[in-house]
Amino acid sequence: MMKFIFPLFSVVLMFSGFAQAQQLTQYNAAKVQRAIQLQQQDKIVDAIDVLSKLTPSQAYDKAYVQRMLGVFHWQNGNSKAAVKYLSTAVNSQQLVDEQAWVTQRMLADLLLTEQRFKEALPHYYQLTKTIPKNQKVGDLWFRIAQTHYQISQWDKVLSALNKHQKVAKIHKEQDKRQLLVLKLGAQLQRKYWKSAIPTLTALIELEPDQAGWWQQLSSIQLQLNQPSNALDTLVLAQRQGIVLSQSELKILAQLYAQRGIPEKAAQVMAQLADYETDKEIIITQASYWQAAKEWDKAIAVWQKAAQFDGQYYWQVAQLQIQEGYYQQGLKSLNKVKDYNKTDDVALAKTRAYYKLNQLELALVNAKRANEFKPSNEAKGWIQYLSQMRQIKG
């Protein structure tokens, strides 16, 4: 629930207007003056007692006294009583001009502090119709937006904020922040994702160290299928010193990979807390290094993955043989236990033994591959190696 600050200027204006209250009868005017003196001496209870004993016969006098009682009860910490007396004064329609306006404003603010939001709104809207010269209409629209927010009327929040921005001049960053936070909340509730982006951008400009704004912005950009923008946002967040969560780091790595920068993706994976102990993280990082053609790094990380699951010795062996590490590749191939890869393993051994100039072992493995699963590649190796053996005789 939002917190609201009570506008003390209303109370000041109420007392300053006493000198102009020429319609009060002489007796009641004297009692009101006495009550004000007691109030100024911090004798609020005595001031209330003086006014409570009055029984004005004139409608204006009654409304004025009710108004004063509302002020004093608020100052004495009794908001419910203050609302009661101010409501009577406003509903009497005896108060006029700025006197009436200020009284209704105080009543609206009190209803707001009492969380009687639906009762406060008609008063605020009425106040916007006639604005005294020394009052700020922008402040009213902001309170209207706050009140609608409390009762989840999101579109009305945004409408009120738009009116506020048209008439208000915001100088303090804190005031601008409150407006943007209120606007963002309503936009997110209504799932106005595109509209929320400039709001979040403005919040980031105000508070670049707040991780939440960066996180929400990147999340919305992903929601709108804007991976490039989401990547830029997360990168800028890191440069700003924002510590990304584990899930955000994974997303950042994926976005780098999608943009065709797998080496950056692999480097981001290394920032994860469990990058050396989590099997899935290790496999993903190995894939990124391999996509980046960083063969030695890929081999090293695939070897880590193979310690968790022997099937990954196949990736290790393939890269080792590709890079000319034939002896290491053969050792890795001997650790591959996947029955479905028997022919592939045998063909890989064929290539490794051939490179090591061990033609007999190469031929044995070529025949083994063909027996398990006949293929043109296996047959081609058998024919070629058989000819080489004959030549060497």
PDB file of all heavy atoms in Angstrom, residues 186 217 344:
ATOM      1  N   ALA A 186       1.361   0.791 -13.322  1.00  0.00           N
ATOM      2  CA  ALA A 186       0.118   0.661 -14.082  1.00  0.00           C
ATOM      3  C   ALA A 186       0.373   0.025 -15.444  1.00  0.00           C
ATOM      4  O   ALA A 186      -0.404  -0.834 -15.906  1.00  0.00           O
ATOM      5  CB  ALA A 186      -0.528   2.038 -14.248  1.00  0.00           C
ATOM      6  N   LEU A 217      13.643  -4.032 -17.690  1.00  0.00           N
ATOM      7  CA  LEU A 217      13.772  -3.599 -19.087  1.00  0.00           C
ATOM      8  C   LEU A 217      14.191  -4.758 -19.979  1.00  0.00           C
ATOM      9  O   LEU A 217      13.588  -4.984 -21.046  1.00  0.00           O
ATOM     10  CB  LEU A 217      14.780  -2.453 -19.188  1.00  0.00           C
ATOM     11  CG  LEU A 217      15.037  -1.918 -20.603  1.00  0.00           C
ATOM     12  CD1 LEU A 217      13.741  -1.452 -21.258  1.00  0.00           C
ATOM     13  CD2 LEU A 217      16.056  -0.781 -20.570  1.00  0.00           C
ATOM     14  N   ASP A 344      30.968 -45.324 -35.581  1.00  0.00           N
ATOM     15  CA  ASP A 344      31.613 -44.009 -35.600  1.00  0.00           C
ATOM     16  C   ASP A 344      32.942 -44.036 -34.862  1.00  0.00           C
ATOM     17  O   ASP A 344      33.927 -43.436 -35.312  1.00  0.00           O
ATOM     18  CB  ASP A 344      30.696 -42.960 -34.958  1.00  0.00           C
ATOM     19  CG  ASP A 344      29.443 -42.698 -35.785  1.00  0.00           C
ATOM     20  OD1 ASP A 344      29.540 -42.761 -37.021  1.00  0.00           O
ATOM     21  OD2 ASP A 344      28.386 -42.428 -35.186  1.00  0.00           O
TER      22      ASP A 344
END
